Amino acid sequence: MLNKKARVYFSCFMLILGTLIGFLLSKWSEIGSLGWREPDVITLTVRMPENGSLPSRMIYGKPDIAKAPRRDVMVLSPWLAPIVWAGTFNRDLLMEEFQHKKYRIGLTVTAIGKYVKLLKKFLESTERYFMKGGMVTYYVFTDRPDKVKALSLEVNRPLKIITVPKYPTWGHVVLGRMEILKNQSEVLFQQEVDYVVSLDVDMVLFSHIGVEILGELVSVIHPGYYHSPRKDLPYERRPASQAFIPEDEGDFYYQANFFVGTVQRIYQLATACYEGIVKDKANDIQAVVYEESHFNKYLVYNKPTKLLSPEYIWMNNLWRLKDIRIKRIVHGEKKF
Ligand code: UDP
Ligand code: MN
C-alpha cells in the first residue's frame, strides 16, 4: 500500500520535474543569448513640442550605469576612444548636438577611369542613407568630369566635381588619393566643411549612417581581421618602407576605404601618408597594402579618437558573425 503511494508521489514529482526541465530547455536559447541580443534602440526618445515660452525638449530613459551597452564586444579602446557598434548609442541624442552646432560634412569619393560607372549606385545609396538631415556636400574626384555630368545624377545635396589627374594604374590611384586629399584640405575643405568623410566608390550603403561616425579622427576596424592576433595583421613589416610597423606594435587593422576627421586632422593624416609614399617611391619600395599600409602606420602613432566597428564596412564574402548585428555598408562588389 505504502509502496503504491510512494510510486504515485514519485510519478507526480517526475512529471513536474520533466515539465520544468522542458520549459527551461525551450527558453535556453533566449537565456543563453541574452548577452548579445539587447535591442538596438536602448532608449526611446520623444520630442516634446514647443509649449508657449518653453523650448522643445527631448525625453528619454536615464542611462543606467550598471548596464553595459554591449557585453560581447569592446566598446572602448585602451586609449579611451569609443568603438561604435549597433546598440551603443542613441542617434537622436547625437543629432541634437549635431543640429545645434550645424556641422558641415564633405563626403569625398574618387571615381577615376572605369570607376565612374560605380558612382550612380553609390550616390543613390548615400542619398538614401548617408547623414539624413545633415549638411552634406559631395566631392567627386575624377579625371572624367564630362562622364560624371553625363550620368545626370539626381542628388539633393550639392555635388562638386573636382578634376584630378588620370593616374595610370590602380596603384597610382589609391596612392594618389592621399595626395588629392592633402591638396584639397589645404585649398577647399578648410573653407567649406568641418568634417571630411572619405569613402570608396565601390560601396553601397544599406542602413543609416549618421552623426555617430563624426569625430576628430575616425577609422574603421577591418571586418576581415577584427578577431585576428597581431601577428596575422597585414601591416608593413619591412623596415625599409616608411609604413613599417614593428612586430610587437599595432592595435587594430584599419581599412583605408572609410575614414573621417576634421579638416585639420585629415590634412595631417593625408600629408603623412603622402610623404611616406613619396619616400618609398624614391627608395624603390612599395608598401604591402599600398596607401592602406601608410594609413595604418599613421594610426598606430596617432591614435584615432573614435573607432567604427566592422559593421561599417561589411563584405558579402565574410561570414556573418554573431557580433555583427547590422550590415551598414557592403563593400567590394564591382560591376563595371
Ligand atoms: N579608384 C578609381 N579608379 C581606379 C582605381 C581605384 O576611382 O582605377 C578609386 C575608387 O574610389 C575605388 C578606390 O579607388 O573604390 C579603391 O580601389 P578599389 O575599390 O578597387 O580597391 P579595393 O577596395 O578593392 O581594395
Ligand atoms: Mn573598394
mmCIF file of all heavy atoms in Angstrom, residues 243-286:
data_model
loop_
_atom_site.group_PDB
_atom_site.id
_atom_site.type_symbol
_atom_site.label_atom_id
_atom_site.label_comp_id
_atom_site.label_asym_id
_atom_site.label_seq_id
_atom_site.Cartn_x
_atom_site.Cartn_y
_atom_site.Cartn_z
ATOM 1 N N ALA A 243 56.186 52.754 -44.147
ATOM 2 C CA ALA A 243 54.962 52.255 -43.499
ATOM 3 C C ALA A 243 55.260 51.179 -42.454
ATOM 4 O O ALA A 243 54.343 50.589 -41.873
ATOM 5 C CB ALA A 243 54.017 51.696 -44.562
ATOM 6 N N PHE A 244 56.531 50.937 -42.203
ATOM 7 C CA PHE A 244 56.972 49.878 -41.282
ATOM 8 C C PHE A 244 56.360 50.017 -39.881
ATOM 9 O O PHE A 244 56.392 51.080 -39.274
ATOM 10 C CB PHE A 244 58.503 49.932 -41.181
ATOM 11 C CG PHE A 244 59.075 49.091 -40.077
ATOM 12 C CD1 PHE A 244 58.924 47.712 -40.073
ATOM 13 C CD2 PHE A 244 59.783 49.692 -39.026
ATOM 14 C CE1 PHE A 244 59.472 46.939 -39.040
ATOM 15 C CE2 PHE A 244 60.326 48.929 -37.999
ATOM 16 C CZ PHE A 244 60.167 47.551 -38.008
ATOM 17 N N ILE A 245 55.838 48.899 -39.399
ATOM 18 C CA ILE A 245 55.362 48.803 -38.009
ATOM 19 C C ILE A 245 56.058 47.581 -37.395
ATOM 20 O O ILE A 245 55.951 46.481 -37.948
ATOM 21 C CB ILE A 245 53.821 48.600 -37.948
ATOM 22 C CG1 ILE A 245 53.093 49.783 -38.601
ATOM 23 C CG2 ILE A 245 53.350 48.425 -36.503
ATOM 24 C CD1 ILE A 245 51.591 49.575 -38.765
ATOM 25 N N PRO A 246 56.784 47.731 -36.296
ATOM 26 C CA PRO A 246 57.463 46.571 -35.698
ATOM 27 C C PRO A 246 56.474 45.475 -35.285
ATOM 28 O O PRO A 246 55.304 45.755 -35.012
ATOM 29 C CB PRO A 246 58.155 47.162 -34.460
ATOM 30 C CG PRO A 246 58.236 48.623 -34.722
ATOM 31 C CD PRO A 246 57.059 48.972 -35.573
ATOM 32 N N GLU A 247 56.969 44.247 -35.250
ATOM 33 C CA GLU A 247 56.146 43.060 -34.967
ATOM 34 C C GLU A 247 55.328 43.172 -33.680
ATOM 35 O O GLU A 247 54.261 42.601 -33.557
ATOM 36 C CB GLU A 247 57.051 41.815 -34.817
ATOM 37 C CG GLU A 247 57.809 41.423 -36.068
ATOM 38 C CD GLU A 247 56.938 40.701 -37.080
ATOM 39 O OE1 GLU A 247 55.860 40.233 -36.697
ATOM 40 O OE2 GLU A 247 57.354 40.612 -38.259
ATOM 41 N N ASP A 248 55.906 43.883 -32.701
ATOM 42 C CA ASP A 248 55.236 43.940 -31.398
ATOM 43 C C ASP A 248 54.429 45.233 -31.217
ATOM 44 O O ASP A 248 54.122 45.630 -30.099
ATOM 45 C CB ASP A 248 56.258 43.780 -30.255
ATOM 46 C CG ASP A 248 57.412 44.760 -30.379
ATOM 47 O OD1 ASP A 248 57.428 45.551 -31.349
ATOM 48 O OD2 ASP A 248 58.301 44.745 -29.514
ATOM 49 N N GLU A 249 54.073 45.874 -32.352
ATOM 50 C CA GLU A 249 53.231 47.066 -32.253
ATOM 51 C C GLU A 249 52.000 46.927 -33.146
ATOM 52 O O GLU A 249 51.960 46.094 -34.040
ATOM 53 C CB GLU A 249 54.019 48.317 -32.647
ATOM 54 C CG GLU A 249 55.079 48.692 -31.620
ATOM 55 C CD GLU A 249 55.711 50.039 -31.923
ATOM 56 O OE1 GLU A 249 54.973 51.021 -32.125
ATOM 57 O OE2 GLU A 249 56.953 50.085 -31.970
ATOM 58 N N GLY A 250 51.038 47.790 -32.912
ATOM 59 C CA GLY A 250 49.804 47.774 -33.711
ATOM 60 C C GLY A 250 48.610 47.424 -32.844
ATOM 61 O O GLY A 250 48.710 46.549 -31.976
ATOM 62 N N ASP A 251 47.502 48.114 -33.087
ATOM 63 C CA ASP A 251 46.296 47.900 -32.271
ATOM 64 C C ASP A 251 45.283 47.072 -33.046
ATOM 65 O O ASP A 251 45.060 45.910 -32.772
ATOM 66 C CB ASP A 251 45.694 49.258 -31.900
ATOM 67 C CG ASP A 251 46.717 50.166 -31.252
ATOM 68 O OD1 ASP A 251 47.248 49.777 -30.201
ATOM 69 O OD2 ASP A 251 47.016 51.236 -31.810
ATOM 70 N N PHE A 252 44.679 47.722 -34.023
ATOM 71 C CA PHE A 252 43.730 47.059 -34.911
ATOM 72 C C PHE A 252 44.234 47.271 -36.334
ATOM 73 O O PHE A 252 45.045 48.152 -36.582
ATOM 74 C CB PHE A 252 42.331 47.670 -34.784
ATOM 75 C CG PHE A 252 41.749 47.577 -33.399
ATOM 76 C CD1 PHE A 252 41.736 48.675 -32.554
ATOM 77 C CD2 PHE A 252 41.231 46.374 -32.935
ATOM 78 C CE1 PHE A 252 41.207 48.585 -31.276
ATOM 79 C CE2 PHE A 252 40.696 46.274 -31.663
ATOM 80 C CZ PHE A 252 40.684 47.382 -30.823
ATOM 81 N N TYR A 253 43.696 46.486 -37.270
ATOM 82 C CA TYR A 253 43.999 46.766 -38.671
ATOM 83 C C TYR A 253 42.814 47.550 -39.237
ATOM 84 O O TYR A 253 41.668 47.101 -39.155
ATOM 85 C CB TYR A 253 44.233 45.477 -39.470
ATOM 86 C CG TYR A 253 44.731 45.797 -40.865
ATOM 87 C CD1 TYR A 253 46.057 46.142 -41.074
ATOM 88 C CD2 TYR A 253 43.869 45.804 -41.950
ATOM 89 C CE1 TYR A 253 46.520 46.495 -42.343
ATOM 90 C CE2 TYR A 253 44.318 46.135 -43.217
ATOM 91 C CZ TYR A 253 45.645 46.486 -43.403
ATOM 92 O OH TYR A 253 46.098 46.834 -44.646
ATOM 93 N N TYR A 254 43.106 48.726 -39.778
ATOM 94 C CA TYR A 254 42.044 49.609 -40.259
ATOM 95 C C TYR A 254 41.957 49.584 -41.776
ATOM 96 O O TYR A 254 42.970 49.442 -42.455
ATOM 97 C CB TYR A 254 42.309 51.044 -39.814
ATOM 98 C CG TYR A 254 42.510 51.205 -38.326
ATOM 99 C CD1 TYR A 254 43.773 51.492 -37.799
ATOM 100 C CD2 TYR A 254 41.444 51.076 -37.433
ATOM 101 C CE1 TYR A 254 43.967 51.643 -36.439
ATOM 102 C CE2 TYR A 254 41.633 51.227 -36.067
ATOM 103 C CZ TYR A 254 42.897 51.515 -35.579
ATOM 104 O OH TYR A 254 43.086 51.657 -34.227
ATOM 105 N N GLN A 255 40.741 49.772 -42.284
ATOM 106 C CA GLN A 255 40.579 49.856 -43.735
ATOM 107 C C GLN A 255 40.655 51.305 -44.173
ATOM 108 O O GLN A 255 40.033 52.182 -43.550
ATOM 109 C CB GLN A 255 39.233 49.266 -44.154
ATOM 110 C CG GLN A 255 39.373 47.809 -44.514
ATOM 111 C CD GLN A 255 38.251 47.320 -45.394
ATOM 112 O OE1 GLN A 255 37.088 47.535 -45.104
ATOM 113 N NE2 GLN A 255 38.590 46.622 -46.456
ATOM 114 N N ALA A 256 41.396 51.545 -45.263
ATOM 115 C CA ALA A 256 41.584 52.918 -45.725
ATOM 116 C C ALA A 256 40.466 53.368 -46.654
ATOM 117 O O ALA A 256 40.525 54.453 -47.212
ATOM 118 C CB ALA A 256 42.936 53.050 -46.422
ATOM 119 N N ASN A 257 39.437 52.542 -46.793
ATOM 120 C CA ASN A 257 38.359 52.938 -47.704
ATOM 121 C C ASN A 257 37.248 53.719 -47.012
ATOM 122 O O ASN A 257 36.256 54.072 -47.631
ATOM 123 C CB ASN A 257 37.785 51.717 -48.421
ATOM 124 C CG ASN A 257 37.358 50.648 -47.456
ATOM 125 O OD1 ASN A 257 37.114 50.927 -46.276
ATOM 126 N ND2 ASN A 257 37.271 49.430 -47.926
ATOM 127 N N PHE A 258 37.393 53.962 -45.721
ATOM 128 C CA PHE A 258 36.389 54.708 -44.974
ATOM 129 C C PHE A 258 37.095 55.349 -43.794
ATOM 130 O O PHE A 258 37.530 54.655 -42.879
ATOM 131 C CB PHE A 258 35.295 53.730 -44.497
ATOM 132 C CG PHE A 258 34.110 54.356 -43.799
ATOM 133 C CD1 PHE A 258 32.958 53.601 -43.612
ATOM 134 C CD2 PHE A 258 34.109 55.658 -43.334
ATOM 135 C CE1 PHE A 258 31.836 54.130 -42.973
ATOM 136 C CE2 PHE A 258 33.005 56.201 -42.702
ATOM 137 C CZ PHE A 258 31.873 55.432 -42.519
ATOM 138 N N PHE A 259 37.247 56.648 -43.858
ATOM 139 C CA PHE A 259 37.754 57.352 -42.680
ATOM 140 C C PHE A 259 37.153 58.739 -42.608
ATOM 141 O O PHE A 259 36.619 59.261 -43.601
ATOM 142 C CB PHE A 259 39.285 57.377 -42.622
ATOM 143 C CG PHE A 259 39.975 57.903 -43.845
ATOM 144 C CD1 PHE A 259 40.296 59.252 -43.952
ATOM 145 C CD2 PHE A 259 40.331 57.055 -44.886
ATOM 146 C CE1 PHE A 259 40.951 59.742 -45.075
ATOM 147 C CE2 PHE A 259 40.977 57.535 -46.011
ATOM 148 C CZ PHE A 259 41.288 58.873 -46.106
ATOM 149 N N VAL A 260 37.218 59.289 -41.422
ATOM 150 C CA VAL A 260 36.512 60.527 -41.131
ATOM 151 C C VAL A 260 37.421 61.385 -40.265
ATOM 152 O O VAL A 260 38.212 60.852 -39.482
ATOM 153 C CB VAL A 260 35.217 60.226 -40.322
ATOM 154 C CG1 VAL A 260 34.430 61.512 -40.039
ATOM 155 C CG2 VAL A 260 34.339 59.198 -41.012
ATOM 156 N N GLY A 261 37.290 62.690 -40.393
ATOM 157 C CA GLY A 261 38.028 63.546 -39.472
ATOM 158 C C GLY A 261 37.732 65.007 -39.705
ATOM 159 O O GLY A 261 37.086 65.389 -40.686
ATOM 160 N N THR A 262 38.214 65.819 -38.789
ATOM 161 C CA THR A 262 38.135 67.262 -39.022
ATOM 162 C C THR A 262 39.101 67.570 -40.161
ATOM 163 O O THR A 262 40.021 66.791 -40.434
ATOM 164 C CB THR A 262 38.568 68.040 -37.768
ATOM 165 O OG1 THR A 262 39.887 67.609 -37.419
ATOM 166 C CG2 THR A 262 37.623 67.797 -36.608
ATOM 167 N N VAL A 263 38.923 68.719 -40.792
ATOM 168 C CA VAL A 263 39.765 69.049 -41.945
ATOM 169 C C VAL A 263 41.237 69.028 -41.536
ATOM 170 O O VAL A 263 42.081 68.471 -42.247
ATOM 171 C CB VAL A 263 39.367 70.429 -42.528
ATOM 172 C CG1 VAL A 263 40.309 70.818 -43.661
ATOM 173 C CG2 VAL A 263 37.930 70.399 -43.013
ATOM 174 N N GLN A 264 41.520 69.591 -40.374
ATOM 175 C CA GLN A 264 42.923 69.652 -39.949
ATOM 176 C C GLN A 264 43.518 68.262 -39.734
ATOM 177 O O GLN A 264 44.633 67.974 -40.178
ATOM 178 C CB GLN A 264 43.016 70.467 -38.658
ATOM 179 C CG GLN A 264 44.434 70.898 -38.381
ATOM 180 C CD GLN A 264 44.656 71.253 -36.917
ATOM 181 O OE1 GLN A 264 43.739 71.145 -36.097
ATOM 182 N NE2 GLN A 264 45.859 71.657 -36.601
ATOM 183 N N ARG A 265 42.745 67.372 -39.102
ATOM 184 C CA ARG A 265 43.263 66.014 -38.853
ATOM 185 C C ARG A 265 43.394 65.218 -40.149
ATOM 186 O O ARG A 265 44.315 64.422 -40.321
ATOM 187 C CB ARG A 265 42.371 65.261 -37.846
ATOM 188 C CG ARG A 265 42.328 65.865 -36.451
ATOM 189 C CD ARG A 265 43.700 65.972 -35.788
ATOM 190 N NE ARG A 265 44.373 64.717 -35.575
ATOM 191 C CZ ARG A 265 44.320 63.981 -34.470
ATOM 192 N NH1 ARG A 265 43.597 64.378 -33.442
ATOM 193 N NH2 ARG A 265 44.994 62.855 -34.353
ATOM 194 N N ILE A 266 42.469 65.432 -41.074
ATOM 195 C CA ILE A 266 42.560 64.738 -42.367
ATOM 196 C C ILE A 266 43.764 65.261 -43.147
ATOM 197 O O ILE A 266 44.492 64.494 -43.788
ATOM 198 C CB ILE A 266 41.246 64.910 -43.190
ATOM 199 C CG1 ILE A 266 40.105 64.165 -42.506
ATOM 200 C CG2 ILE A 266 41.421 64.442 -44.639
ATOM 201 C CD1 ILE A 266 40.240 62.660 -42.419
ATOM 202 N N TYR A 267 43.993 66.562 -43.046
ATOM 203 C CA TYR A 267 45.157 67.144 -43.712
ATOM 204 C C TYR A 267 46.445 66.520 -43.157
ATOM 205 O O TYR A 267 47.333 66.118 -43.923
ATOM 206 C CB TYR A 267 45.167 68.667 -43.527
ATOM 207 C CG TYR A 267 46.442 69.304 -44.032
ATOM 208 C CD1 TYR A 267 46.694 69.403 -45.396
ATOM 209 C CD2 TYR A 267 47.410 69.775 -43.142
ATOM 210 C CE1 TYR A 267 47.873 69.949 -45.870
ATOM 211 C CE2 TYR A 267 48.588 70.337 -43.601
ATOM 212 C CZ TYR A 267 48.825 70.410 -44.971
ATOM 213 O OH TYR A 267 49.992 70.939 -45.434
ATOM 214 N N GLN A 268 46.540 66.421 -41.849
ATOM 215 C CA GLN A 268 47.750 65.849 -41.235
ATOM 216 C C GLN A 268 47.933 64.377 -41.629
ATOM 217 O O GLN A 268 49.024 63.936 -41.966
ATOM 218 C CB GLN A 268 47.679 65.984 -39.705
ATOM 219 C CG GLN A 268 47.815 67.424 -39.245
ATOM 220 C CD GLN A 268 47.370 67.643 -37.808
ATOM 221 O OE1 GLN A 268 46.747 66.771 -37.200
ATOM 222 N NE2 GLN A 268 47.683 68.804 -37.267
ATOM 223 N N LEU A 269 46.828 63.630 -41.584
ATOM 224 C CA LEU A 269 46.881 62.211 -41.955
ATOM 225 C C LEU A 269 47.308 62.043 -43.413
ATOM 226 O O LEU A 269 48.240 61.276 -43.723
ATOM 227 C CB LEU A 269 45.490 61.589 -41.754
ATOM 228 C CG LEU A 269 45.224 60.265 -42.443
ATOM 229 C CD1 LEU A 269 45.658 59.105 -41.550
ATOM 230 C CD2 LEU A 269 43.771 60.082 -42.813
ATOM 231 N N ALA A 270 46.650 62.787 -44.310
ATOM 232 C CA ALA A 270 46.926 62.633 -45.744
ATOM 233 C C ALA A 270 48.349 63.079 -46.062
ATOM 234 O O ALA A 270 49.033 62.451 -46.888
ATOM 235 C CB ALA A 270 45.901 63.429 -46.563
ATOM 236 N N THR A 271 48.802 64.134 -45.399
ATOM 237 C CA THR A 271 50.161 64.625 -45.643
ATOM 238 C C THR A 271 51.189 63.569 -45.220
ATOM 239 O O THR A 271 52.136 63.271 -45.964
ATOM 240 C CB THR A 271 50.413 65.946 -44.870
ATOM 241 O OG1 THR A 271 49.407 66.862 -45.251
ATOM 242 C CG2 THR A 271 51.781 66.529 -45.190
ATOM 243 N N ALA A 272 50.982 62.991 -44.042
ATOM 244 C CA ALA A 272 51.926 61.973 -43.547
ATOM 245 C C ALA A 272 51.958 60.774 -44.499
ATOM 246 O O ALA A 272 53.040 60.266 -44.853
ATOM 247 C CB ALA A 272 51.535 61.538 -42.139
ATOM 248 N N CYS A 273 50.783 60.333 -44.927
ATOM 249 C CA CYS A 273 50.734 59.184 -45.842
ATOM 250 C C CYS A 273 51.398 59.541 -47.172
ATOM 251 O O CYS A 273 52.198 58.764 -47.701
ATOM 252 C CB CYS A 273 49.288 58.743 -46.086
ATOM 253 S SG CYS A 273 48.519 58.040 -44.632
ATOM 254 N N TYR A 274 51.065 60.709 -47.679
ATOM 255 C CA TYR A 274 51.630 61.138 -48.961
ATOM 256 C C TYR A 274 53.161 61.195 -48.876
ATOM 257 O O TYR A 274 53.866 60.694 -49.769
ATOM 258 C CB TYR A 274 51.043 62.506 -49.340
ATOM 259 C CG TYR A 274 51.729 63.145 -50.515
ATOM 260 C CD1 TYR A 274 51.582 62.612 -51.795
ATOM 261 C CD2 TYR A 274 52.532 64.270 -50.356
ATOM 262 C CE1 TYR A 274 52.226 63.180 -52.879
ATOM 263 C CE2 TYR A 274 53.179 64.852 -51.430
ATOM 264 C CZ TYR A 274 53.024 64.288 -52.690
ATOM 265 O OH TYR A 274 53.668 64.847 -53.762
ATOM 266 N N GLU A 275 53.681 61.758 -47.812
ATOM 267 C CA GLU A 275 55.144 61.875 -47.688
ATOM 268 C C GLU A 275 55.802 60.493 -47.582
ATOM 269 O O GLU A 275 56.865 60.260 -48.154
ATOM 270 C CB GLU A 275 55.503 62.759 -46.491
ATOM 271 C CG GLU A 275 55.209 64.224 -46.801
ATOM 272 C CD GLU A 275 55.381 65.173 -45.608
ATOM 273 O OE1 GLU A 275 55.695 64.711 -44.494
ATOM 274 O OE2 GLU A 275 55.176 66.383 -45.825
ATOM 275 N N GLY A 276 55.146 59.600 -46.871
ATOM 276 C CA GLY A 276 55.662 58.223 -46.776
ATOM 277 C C GLY A 276 55.685 57.551 -48.142
ATOM 278 O O GLY A 276 56.653 56.862 -48.505
ATOM 279 N N ILE A 277 54.627 57.770 -48.895
ATOM 280 C CA ILE A 277 54.516 57.170 -50.236
ATOM 281 C C ILE A 277 55.626 57.711 -51.147
ATOM 282 O O ILE A 277 56.284 56.951 -51.871
ATOM 283 C CB ILE A 277 53.109 57.472 -50.830
ATOM 284 C CG1 ILE A 277 52.040 56.676 -50.067
ATOM 285 C CG2 ILE A 277 53.059 57.189 -52.321
ATOM 286 C CD1 ILE A 277 50.613 57.160 -50.274
ATOM 287 N N VAL A 278 55.846 59.036 -51.086
ATOM 288 C CA VAL A 278 56.872 59.661 -51.931
ATOM 289 C C VAL A 278 58.263 59.116 -51.570
ATOM 290 O O VAL A 278 59.060 58.771 -52.451
ATOM 291 C CB VAL A 278 56.824 61.210 -51.791
ATOM 292 C CG1 VAL A 278 58.038 61.861 -52.447
ATOM 293 C CG2 VAL A 278 55.536 61.745 -52.409
ATOM 294 N N LYS A 279 58.528 58.990 -50.269
ATOM 295 C CA LYS A 279 59.847 58.471 -49.841
ATOM 296 C C LYS A 279 60.023 57.021 -50.279
ATOM 297 O O LYS A 279 61.095 56.622 -50.737
ATOM 298 C CB LYS A 279 59.976 58.559 -48.319
ATOM 299 C CG LYS A 279 60.489 59.892 -47.850
ATOM 300 C CD LYS A 279 60.931 59.826 -46.397
ATOM 301 C CE LYS A 279 61.088 61.247 -45.867
ATOM 302 N NZ LYS A 279 60.853 61.384 -44.442
ATOM 303 N N ASP A 280 58.980 56.238 -50.123
ATOM 304 C CA ASP A 280 59.053 54.835 -50.557
ATOM 305 C C ASP A 280 59.376 54.752 -52.043
ATOM 306 O O ASP A 280 60.188 53.930 -52.476
ATOM 307 C CB ASP A 280 57.726 54.116 -50.281
ATOM 308 C CG ASP A 280 57.697 53.474 -48.894
ATOM 309 O OD1 ASP A 280 58.644 53.715 -48.117
ATOM 310 O OD2 ASP A 280 56.733 52.747 -48.591
ATOM 311 N N LYS A 281 58.703 55.617 -52.806
ATOM 312 C CA LYS A 281 58.924 55.598 -54.252
ATOM 313 C C LYS A 281 60.383 55.921 -54.565
ATOM 314 O O LYS A 281 61.024 55.252 -55.377
ATOM 315 C CB LYS A 281 57.991 56.631 -54.922
ATOM 316 C CG LYS A 281 57.599 56.238 -56.343
ATOM 317 C CD LYS A 281 56.586 57.195 -56.934
ATOM 318 C CE LYS A 281 55.166 56.825 -56.530
ATOM 319 N NZ LYS A 281 54.174 57.804 -56.999
ATOM 320 N N ALA A 282 60.919 56.925 -53.873
ATOM 321 C CA ALA A 282 62.324 57.312 -54.090
ATOM 322 C C ALA A 282 63.251 56.156 -53.726
ATOM 323 O O ALA A 282 64.319 55.980 -54.320
ATOM 324 C CB ALA A 282 62.648 58.540 -53.252
ATOM 325 N N ASN A 283 62.843 55.355 -52.746
ATOM 326 C CA ASN A 283 63.667 54.212 -52.318
ATOM 327 C C ASN A 283 63.293 52.928 -53.049
ATOM 328 O O ASN A 283 63.700 51.829 -52.649
ATOM 329 C CB ASN A 283 63.528 53.997 -50.804
ATOM 330 C CG ASN A 283 64.110 55.158 -50.026
ATOM 331 O OD1 ASN A 283 65.066 55.779 -50.480
ATOM 332 N ND2 ASN A 283 63.524 55.462 -48.883
ATOM 333 N N ASP A 284 62.429 53.073 -54.041
ATOM 334 C CA ASP A 284 62.032 51.945 -54.868
ATOM 335 C C ASP A 284 61.400 50.803 -54.066
ATOM 336 O O ASP A 284 61.699 49.627 -54.265
ATOM 337 C CB ASP A 284 63.274 51.439 -55.642
ATOM 338 C CG ASP A 284 62.858 50.801 -56.955
ATOM 339 O OD1 ASP A 284 61.727 51.059 -57.383
ATOM 340 O OD2 ASP A 284 63.661 50.027 -57.522
ATOM 341 N N ILE A 285 60.543 51.178 -53.156
ATOM 342 C CA ILE A 285 59.813 50.145 -52.401
ATOM 343 C C ILE A 285 58.325 50.501 -52.395
ATOM 344 O O ILE A 285 57.964 51.678 -52.359
ATOM 345 C CB ILE A 285 60.383 49.972 -50.960
ATOM 346 C CG1 ILE A 285 59.710 48.796 -50.256
ATOM 347 C CG2 ILE A 285 60.285 51.245 -50.123
ATOM 348 C CD1 ILE A 285 60.421 48.313 -49.003
ATOM 349 N N GLN A 286 57.519 49.475 -52.461
ATOM 350 C CA GLN A 286 56.059 49.657 -52.476
ATOM 351 C C GLN A 286 55.485 48.971 -51.234
ATOM 352 O O GLN A 286 55.677 47.763 -51.051
ATOM 353 C CB GLN A 286 55.514 49.011 -53.759
ATOM 354 C CG GLN A 286 54.016 48.865 -53.833
ATOM 355 C CD GLN A 286 53.328 50.215 -53.829
ATOM 356 O OE1 GLN A 286 53.449 50.982 -54.768
ATOM 357 N NE2 GLN A 286 52.645 50.505 -52.740
#
